[in-house]
Structures are given as structure tokens and as C-alpha cells.
Amino acid sequence: MPSHRPPHSSSNQPPTQSPRNVLLEEARHLRLKKRFSQHFLVNAGVLDRIADLMHLGLEDTVVEIGPGSGFLTERLLERAGAVIAVELDRKMCDYLRKKFANRPNFQLIEQDVLRFDFESIEAPRFKVVGNLPYAITSKIMFKLAGELDMEEYPLRQRMEQLTVMVQKEVGERITAKPGQRAYNPLSIALQFWFDPRLDFGVPARDFYPPPKVESAVVSLFPRTGPRAKVRDMAVFGRLVRTAFAQKRKTIRNALLNGAFANAGVLDKIFGATGIDSSLRAEALPVEAFGDLANALCSDTSQS
């Protein structure tokens, strides 16, 4: 009879050690400021994925918003010809200057990104990346993308790509399609001028300290032209805002209750466009809002 050896007890096995996270160790030594809502991404794999999304080469200039600890900056410097980092926290700026003192392709701008003049960048074309402070995400996005009714906005012609970390819900709104619950005026405002893409989600555990919300990485690519031909952007913008102000109502009732136009005019423009007035605003694509705005402009000019 062959002898059978008893299985080794798990208690005799050496304990399994978690791999060392050098980024987490470095982040723990940095002094955080609550007013800047600092949360450092300490997952090396996610940082690599973001850097790879930028498709950088030595001919590229990339602007990083809020580099903080420089974890993403390190990866950008390895790929890009020039990295312009815009950071407001003075202590972080001192830290970054020392950390990248020997990197000739690193430039640090100590300034609030909302006050930074992107037009001052010498490169004719550039890319933008960053982990946006969630409290001012919309302000930063519209500084870069321009407001919906800004037909002429030079940054759209100079920015090749915008890849940012935002709160998960905001990322879903930016990329939402008609019929989805997240679809709202932000979706239309950005999709009018850009082709957005939801790249991937990032759980709170990948940050130090962990935020109270989940995050997402989204990329936006400027379109060669607007998504719809609109005669009057001011009318178009007011139409979108009014339609979504009472999004549970049909679009006709929302526009009527919002004093956008009287019942006769509304029935006329819905009839002219063939758009179903019983739909809700969230069901209409950008082009449909453009058709309604144009029909209203035509009706006004003929009356």
C-alpha cells in the first residue's frame, strides 16, 4: 500500500504578503489640503492606462491639469516631447520642481487652471489631461470646450484631445445618448462640439485618500464642425435649457410651461419638423433640437 502523506497545514506556510505599493507610500508622506480636495491616484495600472490613452509621441505637447504628486506626470514625461503642468498648491509645486528638476521636457505653471491662459501655449496643437477637482469640473470643462453658444472658440481648433478623470455620474452625463437617464443639457453642450468617449471607471479604493464617490475617465475629441447646423445658437441654447427644466413633462408641455413659445407656434414648429411633441426632452438627439430651433427662427422671420 502506498503511503499517504498528510497535507501540509496552511499554518505552516509563510504568510502571503501584498505587493508593495510605492505610490501609496509616497502619497502618505505628502501633506494634503482639504480646500483643494486632493485625492492621489495610486494605482499604477490605471495611471499607465490613462497615459496610453493619450497616444503621445515626441512631437506632442500635453497640458496636465492638477498634477499633484506627479504620478501621472512621470508617465507623460516618458512619452511626450513637452509636458506643461498647471498646479495651484504651492507646496505641491515645490515638490514637483524637485522631483522633475532633471527633466528638460517638464514645465510647471503655478496657477489656478481657471485663470491659466491656454492661448499662451506656444505649440500650435496640444492635448490636455488631468484629474479634475470635482467641485469645479463643469467650470474647467467649459473653459476648455467653450460654452454651447460660442461658435468661434480657438481652443477647439488647437486641442487635439481632452482626457480627464471626473466623478462617475458626470462622465455618464458627458457621454450619454438620447433615451438614457443621464442624458441632459451637459450631454448636448459637449456633444455638439466634441465626440466624447467613456473610457473606463475607477473605484474609490484606487485613490489615497479614497474619495466618497466613484470616478471615470472620459476622452473628448473636437469635431471638425458642429453636430447640427443651427441658425441661432442663442435660441438653440435657450430651447435646450427650457426643455430639460421640466424633463418629466413632454417636450411640448415643458416648452409651453417655460414660456418658450405659445401653443400655436409650438404646434407649428413640431408639425414642420415632424418631431413627436409627446416625447420627453431626453429622447431627442442633438440634431432634433437643432431642427426645432431652426424652425422657430424660420417661423419668427416670416411672421
Side-chain angles (χ1 to χ4, degrees):
M1 299 271 309
S3 60
H4 295 280
R5 294 182 179 180
H8 290 290
S9 170
S10 60
S11 61
N12 295 330
Q13 298 296 321
T16 302
Q17 294 184 347
S18 299
R20 180 185 175 195
N21 188 335
V22 294
L23 299 180
L24 178 58
E25 292 176 7
E26 183 177 342
R28 283 174 171 164
H29 287 87
L30 300 174
R31 293 186 177 181
L32 306 180
K33 290 185 178 179
K34 288 185 178 180
R35 71 188 184 98
F36 292 138
S37 300
Q38 292 167 324
H39 300 275
F40 300 129
L41 182 59
V42 293
N43 184 319
V46 174
L47 289 163
D48 288 333
R49 286 183 71 183
I50 296 172
D52 289 341
L53 285 172
M54 302 305 295
H55 298 289
L56 297 170
L58 295 179
E59 72 284 358
D60 287 312
T61 293
V62 59
V63 180
E64 184 184 8
I65 297 173
S69 57
F71 296 158
L72 178 59
T73 315
E74 181 76 47
R75 288 155 172 80
L76 299 175
L77 289 168
E78 293 170 354
R79 294 165 167 81
V83 177
I84 302 171
V86 184
E87 175 61 57
L88 177 60
D89 186 341
R90 179 169 297 177
K91 288 188 176 180
M92 283 298 169
C93 286
D94 292 339
Y95 183 78
L96 292 167
R97 289 190 186 96
K98 294 176 183 178
K99 186 171 185 175
F100 301 122
N102 297 322
R103 295 295 190 101
N105 59 335
F106 177 68
Q107 179 184 354
L108 180 65
I109 307 294
E110 186 176 334
Q111 192 175 13
D112 183 344
V113 69
L114 292 175
R115 297 186 177 183
F116 176 61
D117 181 12
F118 282 84
E119 289 295 320
S120 67
I121 297 172
E122 294 183 2
R125 302 271 286 169
F126 55 87
K127 300 178 180 181
V128 180
V129 66
N131 182 3
L132 303 188
Y134 293 173
I136 56 172
T137 293
S138 293
K139 290 182 179 179
I140 296 175
M141 292 298 293
F142 284 115
K143 177 180 176 67
L144 293 166
E147 297 289 345
L148 175 61
D149 59 358
M150 292 181 176
E151 297 184 62
E152 298 297 328
Y153 198 70
L155 276 185
R156 292 194 200 113
Q157 282 69 53
R158 297 186 60 194
M159 202 168 42
E160 295 181 86
Q161 177 180 345
L162 171 60
T163 295
V164 289
M165 180 95 69
V166 296
Q167 187 173 333
K168 179 183 176 183
E169 288 75 13
V170 175
E172 291 173 345
R173 291 186 195 115
I174 291 172
T175 59
K177 304 299 181 186
Q180 296 179 337
R181 291 184 63 184
Y183 188 67
N184 74 350
L186 178 64
S187 317
I188 294 174
L190 292 176
Q191 292 177 29
F192 191 84
W193 299 109
F194 292 82
D195 290 321
R197 180 184 71 200
L198 182 61
D199 293 308
F200 57 89
V202 184
R205 65 175 179 271
D206 285 346
F207 294 86
Y208 175 81
K212 295 181 179 180
V213 298
E214 300 293 295
S215 303
V217 175
V218 297
S219 294
L220 295 93
F221 303 88
R223 296 174 55 86
T224 55
R227 188 170 292 275
K229 292 184 179 180
V230 175
R231 293 175 56 182
D232 189 323
M233 289 302 297
V235 171
F236 177 75
R238 188 164 63 88
L239 170 67
V240 171
R241 290 190 296 272
T242 306
F244 278 93
Q246 302 178 66
K247 61 181 298 183
R248 291 186 176 276
K249 296 183 178 295
T250 66
I251 186 169
R252 181 187 184 280
N253 288 342
L255 295 175
L256 187 62
N257 293 346
F260 182 79
N262 63 45
V265 170
L266 289 175
D267 290 338
K268 191 173 182 179
I269 65 174
F270 278 110
T273 59
I275 295 171
D276 187 349
S277 63
S278 68
L279 294 174
R280 293 179 178 178
E282 63 189 28
L284 269 62
V286 175
E287 295 83 356
F289 282 103
D291 290 342
L292 288 173
N294 290 339
L296 180 67
C297 290
S298 297
D299 182 78
T300 303
S301 63
Q302 294 171 9
S303 60

